[in-house]
Amino acid sequence: MANTHTPHTPPSSELCAPDSAAPVRGGFTSTRFVLVEPSHPGNVGAAARALKTMGFSRLVLVAPRVPHVQSDPEAIAMASGADDVLAGAHIVPTLADALNGVSWSVALTARSREYGPPQLVPRAAAAHAREHAVHGEIALVFGNERTGLSNEDVERCSALAHIPANPAYSSLNLAQAVQVLAYELRLAYLGLGGGTGAPAGNGRGVEGQGAAAASLAQSDDIEGMYAHLEDALVALEFLDPANPKKLMSRLRRLFARSGLEREEVNIVRGIAKHILLKVKQPDDGTP
C-alpha cells in the first residue's frame, strides 16, 4: 500500500552548522524530490535510481498516473537496485501537500515564464538549496513528462531552475533532469560545488542567506498569506476577481525575490486583516 504521509522532518542534530566550506550532510535527509503527476512508471523508477546514486532517498509523487507505481514491474526494473527508494516514495494528492513544511523550493522548467519566481541555473539553485537545507526542509519540483509544471505549480515555489541544454535539442528525460539536479546538490552539500556566483534575482546573495534561512516562512504559511492578501485587495476593490490582470502573479514574483521570513508573512497578514476589518466596518454616520 502506498504511504500517503508527508516525509518526516529530520532531527536538528542531523544538520551541520552553516559554513561555506564544511559539508552539509543533513541536506541529504532534508531534501525532497517531488514529481508532479508522473505518467510513466519507468521514469519514476529511473528517478529513484538517480536519487540513490547521489545519496538521496526522499521521493514524493503527486497524483501519479499509475496509483501503485511503486510496485509496477517497469518502475522496479528501471530502479535497478534502488528498490528501497522507490518503495519508500510518498504519494500525495496535490503539490500543496508535497510542499507542506517546506521553507524553500525550486521548480524545474524547460521554458521561460513571463511570471513566476526568479530563475537560476542548476549550480546556483544548488547553492541556494545548501543554505536552506542547513535549517529546514527543501524541495525540488519536477513536472509531468509531457506538459511540465503548470503556472500555478511554478508560483508555489521559491525559485525556478532551468538546465541550459543544447538549444537545438533540449529535450531531457524526467529522470535525466532529476539526475542533473541531484548531482549538483551532492556537490554543494559535500562542499565540492566550487564557485556559483550570485544567483539571479536575489539581492542577498548566497553567503548572506544563512542567518535568514533559519526563520524563512514555510510554503503553507506563504500560501495562506497570499490568500489573505488577495481577499484584502478584493475588499479594497483594487483587485477585480473577474479581471485580475496577473496582479497576484506579479505580487508572488515580487515576494519570491525577497525570500519571505515568518515575521514578514505575519506582518503582511496583519495588514490584510486590518484592511478587511476597516472595509467591513458598518457606516455609523460619522462625517
Side-chain angles (χ1 to χ4, degrees), residues 150-205:
S150 68
N151 289 335
E152 181 181 357
D153 289 341
V154 166
E155 289 180 354
R156 280 189 175 272
C157 297
S158 311
L160 282 174
H162 172 70
I163 298 172
N166 175 11
Y169 187 70
S170 59
S171 177
L172 275 174
N173 174 270
L174 172 60
Q176 292 173 331
V178 170
Q179 186 76 77
V180 170
L181 269 295
Y183 168 75
E184 291 291 351
L185 281 179
R186 180 174 180 81
L187 292 185
Y189 290 169
L190 295 180
L192 303 174
T196 59
N202 190 301
R204 294 179 182 177

Side-chain angles (χ1 to χ4, degrees), residues 24-106:
V24 185
R25 299 187 186 279
F28 289 97
T29 55
S30 61
T31 300
R32 309 174 190 178
F33 286 77
V34 180
L35 309 185
V36 178
E37 300 179 3
S39 299
H40 305 295
N43 284 337
V44 175
R49 180 180 182 180
L51 296 194
K52 187 166 185 176
T53 60
M54 294 296 118
F56 297 95
S57 62
R58 301 182 66 189
L59 182 61
V60 183
L61 309 175
V62 177
R65 191 190 69 174
V66 177
H68 303 290
V69 65
Q70 298 106 315
S71 58
D72 185 273
E74 183 182 355
I76 293 172
M78 292 301 292
S80 188
D83 308 64
D84 52 339
V85 176
L86 178 62
H90 295 259
I91 295 181
V92 295
T94 69
L95 180 56
D97 294 309
L99 296 180
N100 184 35
V102 167
S103 61
W104 187 85
S105 57
V106 58

